[in-house]
């Protein structure tokens, strides 16, 4: 092996885990490479203490997210791409070493046959040996051939035979590769044709929907215009009557009349004014329901078009659940894979196109203790200026994090913390630079800027669980003993307590967990009583809806209009008054309308959720989810 090849193999082609040349090198997102077997052993050892969705790179310690953490840990290494460039370089060096070794052996063998290898220690013996070797070679006749007649030695003939065999094998391999390339081009053409047909259908549906919406909008807008013109005519008549009354009263100054006449005129004008006021204060006829539905349909189409940049269309039927088998099929020439793809193209018309808007993962926020261990996070909130405030589980610490670097950066760093005299539970933002935190028999009001400072401590006498902002001067908090919701002012005065539905008298709460409020004063609480559910009430304590509703079936019988939650935990409200609720048992975040209708699951285990708990949104509707109580995952949903 040359010096260059030796340095190349030692510096770039050696696994840092086994110190041997790479075998099936796997490349991590941080661009470090490891043998597949070494990486698999490393991951099995890392996962002995419990399951997780991430692991630290053995080389740079960067956090690596596993594409599918639901698979066993011994198969995680197969999910990362194979670095065929490194494999090719290692194979080339091995062939070079092998070829060089064969060449040296062939030269030595040829010299021995021709008597060129001599014993330098004994010249006389060497000469005699050379003479005997030449005599033996003359006596031993080799089979005659055309090559011998032409002067080509048997060693050269053997090499030529090997080269001829290798040339045939390479030619055959090239022909097979040409066939594979042609099949790949054919598959690409078929896939492009299928995609073109699918999008053509989508365009046709959108065009038809556009024509229908334009027709409906034209009709309904004409009706709305007629209604407004009718109202305008009525107001014009009233205006004319008022002007006439004003002119009549002004004319009395120049034309004095008797008191009785003036009294009658004032009485008539007063009746006219009352009639006009009655018409103005009467309820304006609302727009038709069909008109509202037409507008909502138009908005849904516009939202679909706006989300086209984040839409993925899945048309492949290839099963990638077994990476090892797929790799073996690729090594065998890919015939089985091509056959599966061809069958999928033949059955394409029978399979609906799956269109789903995917969330975008932005970053992860972690809190580290002095001993380099992850600190447990219980709840979080995001202030109006983008500061993330988190409460700790099992300690009295409240910490805050904000973006590091310029505005385009998505990285967060923890920059301040405060130790309270009791263990904090839940936290809520009450102003751009203030948050409220529930503690033992008290509520802390903290100022959050460059530092976290205690602004006020409100003694309540109750151990509140969750907390939310109701107005600029009041908060709402949930208590588990007794199970209720208190309206608490910033002065500590409890203005109202809600524990029952004021219309039916039924108990609302059993074991409240997390809470959120909307801009309209609607309250949402997750409850883990006899039946886990999400409830929504108004400020008067009337139950608006609950998910799942009374009489709903099990999750296995879930329908599109039914919202089934197994273990609801964190809840928040976005800028569109949609409700985002965490289902811890199902490892997902569900989007629900303000009327309690499920829209879709916006985050699942496929997005990296393994044990979600609390949730929050900022003013840009970025979603912050506490995962496994030790990190905050940040996503862009819309």
């Amino acid at each position: 092996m040359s010096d260059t090849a030796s340095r190349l193999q030692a510096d770039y082609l050696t696994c840092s885990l086994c110190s041997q040349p790479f075998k099936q090198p796997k490349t991590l997102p941080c661009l470090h490479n490891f043998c597949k077997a070494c990486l698999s052993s490393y991951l099995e050892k890392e996962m002995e203490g419990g399951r997780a969705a991430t692991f630290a790179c053995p080389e740079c310690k960067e956090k690596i997210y596993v594409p599918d953490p639901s698979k066993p840990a011994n198969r995680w290494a197969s999910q990362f791409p194979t670095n065929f460039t490194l494999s090719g370089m290692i194979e080339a060096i091995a062939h070079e070493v092998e070829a060089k070794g064969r060449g040296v052996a062939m030269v030595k063998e040829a010299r021995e046959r021709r008597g060129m290898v001599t014993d330098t220690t004994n010249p006389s013996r060497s000469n005699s040996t050379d003479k005997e070797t030449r005599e033996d070679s003359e006596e031993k006749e080799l089979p005659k051939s055309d090559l011998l007649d032409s002067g080509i030695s048997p060693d050269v003939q053997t090499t030529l035979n090997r080269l001829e065999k290798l040339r045939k094998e390479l030619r055959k391999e090239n022909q097979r590769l040409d066939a594979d390339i042609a099949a790949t081009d054919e598959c690409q053409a078929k896939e492009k044709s299928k995609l073109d047909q699918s999008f053509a259908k989508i365009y046709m549906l959108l065009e038809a929907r556009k024509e229908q919406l334009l027709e409906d909008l034209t009709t309904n807008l004409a009706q709305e215009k007629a209604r407004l013109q009718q109202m305008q005519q009525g107001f014009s008549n009233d205006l004319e009557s008022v002007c006439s009354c004003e002119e009549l009263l002004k004319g009395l100054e120049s034309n004095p009349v008797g008191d009785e006449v003036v009294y009658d005129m004032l009485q008539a004008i007063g009746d006219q004014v009352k009639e006009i006021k009655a018409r103005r204060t009467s309820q304006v006829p609302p727009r038709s329901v069909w008109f509202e539905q037409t507008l909502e349909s138009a908005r849904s189409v516009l939202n679909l078009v706006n989300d086209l940049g984040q839409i993925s269309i899945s048309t492949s039927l290839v099963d990638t659940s077994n990476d090892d088998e797929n790799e073996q099929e690729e090594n065998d020439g890919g015939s089985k894979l091509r056959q599966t793809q061809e069958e999928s193209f033949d059955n394409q018309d029978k399979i609906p196109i799956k269109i789903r808007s995917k969330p975008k993962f932005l970053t992860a926020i972690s809190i580290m203790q002095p001993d380099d261990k992850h600190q447990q996070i219980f709840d979080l909130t995001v202030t109006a200026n983008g500061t993330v405030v988190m409460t700790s589980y099992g300690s009295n610490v409240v910490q805050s994090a904000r973006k590091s670097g310029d505005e385009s950066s998505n990285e967060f760093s923890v920059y301040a913390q405060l130790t309270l005299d009791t263990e904090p539970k839940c936290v809520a933002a009450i102003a751009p630079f203030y948050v409220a935190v529930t503690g033992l028999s008290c509520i802390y009001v903290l100022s959050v800027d460059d530092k976290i400072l205690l602004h006020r401590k409100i003694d309540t006498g109750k151990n509140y669980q969750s907390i939310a902002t109701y107005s600029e001067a009041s908060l709402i908090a949930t208590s588990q003993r007794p199970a209720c919701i208190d309206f608490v002012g910033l002065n500590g005065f409890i203005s109202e307590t809600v524990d029952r539905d004021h219309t039916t008298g039924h108990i609302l709460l059993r074991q409240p967990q997390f809470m959120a409020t909307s801009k309209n004063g609607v309250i949402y609480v997750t409850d883990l009583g006899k039946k886990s559910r999400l409830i929504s009430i108004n400020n008067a304590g009337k139950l608006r809806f609950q998910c799942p509703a009374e009489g709903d079936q099990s999750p296995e019988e879930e329908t599109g209009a039914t919202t089934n939650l197994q273990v609801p935990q964190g809840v928040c409200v976005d800028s569109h008054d949609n409700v985002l609720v965490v289902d811890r048992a199902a490892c997902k975040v569900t989007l629900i309308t303000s009327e309690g209708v499920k829209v879709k699951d916006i985050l699942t285990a496929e997005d990296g959720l393994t044990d979600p708990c609390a949730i929050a949104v900022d003013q840009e509707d970025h979603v912050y989810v506490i995962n496994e109580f030790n990190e905050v995952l940040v996503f862009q949903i819309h």
Side-chain angles (χ1 to χ4, degrees):
M1 185 187 301
S2 64
D3 295 339
T4 303
S6 300
R7 288 196 302 269
L8 182 64
Q9 179 168 332
D11 296 340
Y12 301 103
L13 305 179
T14 302
C15 175
S16 60
L17 295 178
C18 63
S19 300
Q20 296 295 328
F22 286 117
K23 294 181 180 179
Q24 288 186 284
K26 294 289 183 177
T27 303
L28 300 183
C30 59
L31 302 183
H32 286 115
N33 301 277
F34 305 96
C35 297
K36 178 181 178 182
C38 298
L39 182 59
S40 180
S41 301
Y42 172 78
L43 292 176
E44 290 182 6
K45 186 180 299 183
E46 286 290 314
M47 295 300 109
E48 289 179 355
R51 293 302 304 275
T54 62
F55 65 91
C57 172
E59 189 76 17
C60 64
K61 304 304 179 183
E62 180 179 342
K63 181 181 291 185
I64 305 300
Y65 288 85
V66 181
D68 188 0
S70 61
K71 292 184 178 181
N74 58 1
R75 295 185 57 193
W76 282 7
S78 300
Q79 301 181 35
F80 295 99
T82 301
N83 195 326
F84 294 102
T85 302
L86 294 182
S87 299
M89 294 174 66
I90 294 173
E91 185 176 356
I93 292 176
H95 288 168
E96 179 186 354
V97 174
E98 183 179 358
K100 186 174 181 180
R102 287 200 303 266
V104 173
M106 292 170 59
V107 171
K108 184 176 180 180
E109 181 180 358
R111 288 180 176 179
E112 290 178 351
R113 290 179 178 178
R114 291 170 174 81
M116 296 177 64
V117 178
T118 59
D119 188 358
T120 57
T121 58
N122 192 349
S124 60
R125 181 180 178 181
S126 175
N127 294 333
S128 61
T129 303
D130 293 343
K131 184 177 179 180
E132 293 175 359
T133 304
R134 286 194 297 272
E135 293 176 354
D136 293 339
S137 60
E138 291 174 356
E139 294 176 358
K140 188 182 298 182
E141 295 183 359
L142 295 175
K144 294 183 178 181
S145 64
D146 296 338
L147 291 174
L148 289 178
D149 295 338
S150 61
I152 299 178
S153 66
D155 296 333
V156 176
Q157 177 62 32
T158 302
T159 303
L160 289 175
N161 292 338
R162 291 179 180 176
L163 292 175
E164 176 67 18
K165 182 178 180 181
L166 180 59
R167 182 175 62 82
K168 292 180 180 179
E169 292 177 356
L170 291 175
R171 180 177 296 176
K172 185 177 181 180
E173 183 69 17
N174 284 333
Q175 293 175 354
R176 186 184 66 82
L177 290 176
D178 290 339
D180 290 343
I181 292 174
T184 303
D185 293 338
E186 183 180 357
C187 291
Q188 181 180 2
K190 289 183 179 179
E191 184 177 0
K192 182 179 181 300
S193 176
K194 293 295 182 180
L195 287 176
D196 291 340
Q197 294 176 7
S198 301
F199 273 98
K201 294 178 182 178
I202 294 176
Y203 295 149
M204 293 175 60
L205 292 174
L206 288 176
E207 186 67 25
R209 186 59 175 161
K210 184 189 74 172
E211 296 296 333
Q212 180 182 356
L213 286 174
L214 286 176
E215 182 180 355
D216 294 341
L217 284 173
T218 303
T219 303
N220 287 285
L221 286 175
Q223 296 177 357
E224 181 70 9
K225 181 179 179 180
R227 184 178 69 88
L228 294 176
Q229 289 176 346
Q230 183 179 1
M231 292 177 58
Q232 184 183 24
Q233 183 63 37
F235 283 119
S236 299
N237 295 335
D238 293 339
L239 178 61
E240 184 178 354
S241 299
V242 171
C243 293
S244 299
C245 292
E246 287 181 351
E247 293 178 358
L248 183 61
L249 289 176
K250 291 179 180 179
L252 294 177
E253 297 179 357
S254 59
N255 299 309
V257 295
D259 295 340
E260 294 182 358
V261 176
V262 173
Y263 177 79
D264 292 339
M265 292 176 61
L266 292 176
Q267 184 69 27
I269 292 174
D271 294 340
Q272 184 71 17
V273 171
K274 289 181 180 179
E275 183 179 352
I276 293 174
K277 288 184 176 180
R279 283 198 298 270
R280 292 189 63 193
T281 57
S282 62
Q283 183 178 3
V284 178
R287 294 183 295 192
S288 64
V289 176
W290 176 246
F291 181 72
E292 296 290 347
Q293 292 177 350
T294 303
L295 290 180
E296 186 62 29
S297 299
R299 294 190 190 99
S300 64
V301 174
L302 291 177
N303 291 334
L304 174 61
V305 175
N306 291 334
D307 291 340
L308 282 177
Q310 301 180 12
I311 287 179
S312 63
I313 297 183
S314 175
T315 59
S316 177
L317 289 180
V318 180
D319 184 12
T320 59
S321 59
N322 194 332
D323 296 328
D324 294 334
E325 294 180 0
N326 291 338
E327 291 181 1
Q328 182 63 32
E329 289 177 357
E330 292 176 0
N331 296 333
D332 293 338
S335 59
K336 295 182 180 179
L337 183 60
R338 291 195 303 272
Q339 181 180 359
T340 305
Q341 290 177 345
E342 292 174 357
E343 293 176 356
S344 68
F345 291 132
D346 296 336
N347 299 329
Q348 191 76 32
D349 295 333
K350 302 178 182 179
I351 300 171
I353 299 176
K354 178 182 178 183
I355 301 180
R356 185 172 73 91
S357 180
K358 291 186 177 181
K360 179 181 179 182
F361 173 77
L362 298 180
T363 186
I365 308 172
S366 300
I367 297 179
M368 303 299 294
Q369 290 180 335
D371 55 356
D372 292 337
K373 292 182 179 180
H374 285 285
Q375 186 168 329
Q376 299 292 309
I377 310 173
F378 183 75
D379 194 19
L380 81 164
T381 188
V382 185
T383 63
N385 60 355
T387 301
V388 182
V389 182
M390 297 161 283
T391 59
S392 302
Y393 181 78
S395 68
N396 297 354
V397 177
V398 177
Q399 303 196 44
S400 59
R402 63 172 53 153
K403 286 186 178 181
S404 57
D406 54 8
E407 292 295 330
S408 61
S409 175
N410 292 322
E411 297 297 327
F412 283 77
S413 60
V414 178
Y415 71 93
Q417 69 176 14
L418 175 67
T419 302
L420 304 175
D421 53 1
T422 63
E423 180 179 345
K425 293 183 180 178
C426 292
V427 58
I430 58 178
F433 298 96
Y434 291 91
V435 297
V437 180
T438 56
L440 184 62
S441 301
C442 66
I443 296 177
Y444 300 97
V445 179
L446 310 178
S447 64
V448 182
D449 196 357
D450 293 335
K451 296 181 180 179
I452 304 179
L453 301 175
L454 177 61
H455 179 71
R456 183 187 304 174
K457 180 179 179 181
I458 304 173
D459 294 323
T460 60
K462 281 188 175 181
N463 294 329
Y464 289 119
Q465 172 73 11
S466 59
I467 191 170
T469 303
Y470 187 72
S471 67
E472 295 180 356
S474 63
L475 306 168
I476 54 175
T478 60
S479 172
Q480 294 187 351
R481 294 183 181 180
C484 64
I485 299 175
D486 286 345
F487 290 75
V488 185
L490 294 180
N491 56 0
F493 179 72
I494 299 176
S495 60
E496 186 180 2
T497 298
V498 177
D499 58 352
R500 294 176 180 269
D501 187 343
H502 80 282
T503 57
T504 62
H506 294 163
I507 296 177
L508 290 174
L509 304 173
R510 298 288 184 181
Q511 190 178 350
Q513 297 297 307
F514 293 86
M515 177 174 56
T517 56
S518 68
K519 296 177 294 185
N520 301 325
V522 180
I523 303 172
Y524 302 91
V525 184
T526 56
D527 188 89
L528 299 182
K530 295 181 180 179
K531 182 179 180 181
S532 300
R533 57 184 180 156
L534 167 72
I535 67 172
S536 174
I537 61 176
N538 59 16
N539 54 4
K542 180 181 178 181
L543 179 65
R544 299 179 65 250
F545 66 83
Q546 58 180 346
C547 300
E550 290 292 337
D552 278 358
Q553 303 299 323
S554 62
E556 289 75 13
E557 301 176 1
E558 180 178 352
T559 62
T562 303
T563 306
N564 290 286
L565 302 173
Q566 300 180 32
V567 182
Q569 288 289 295
V571 61
C572 64
V573 181
D574 64 10
S575 61
H576 305 287
D577 279 344
N578 295 318
V579 185
L580 285 72
V581 58
V582 173
D583 192 340
R584 184 178 179 185
C587 289
K588 65 182 181 180
V589 175
T590 302
L591 179 66
I592 304 172
T593 65
S594 58
E595 300 302 322
V597 179
K598 176 181 177 180
V599 179
K600 62 179 179 179
D601 297 327
I602 59 174
L603 293 174
T604 62
E606 296 179 358
D607 302 303
L609 299 185
T610 53
D611 188 10
C613 180
I615 189 172
V617 295
D618 59 14
Q619 291 185 336
E620 298 177 356
D621 281 346
H622 292 160
V623 179
Y624 300 73
V625 184
I626 296 178
N627 191 47
E628 294 188 356
F629 296 94
N630 59 21
E631 63 179 355
V632 178
L633 304 181
V634 186
F635 296 91
Q636 179 181 347
I637 303 298
H638 301 293

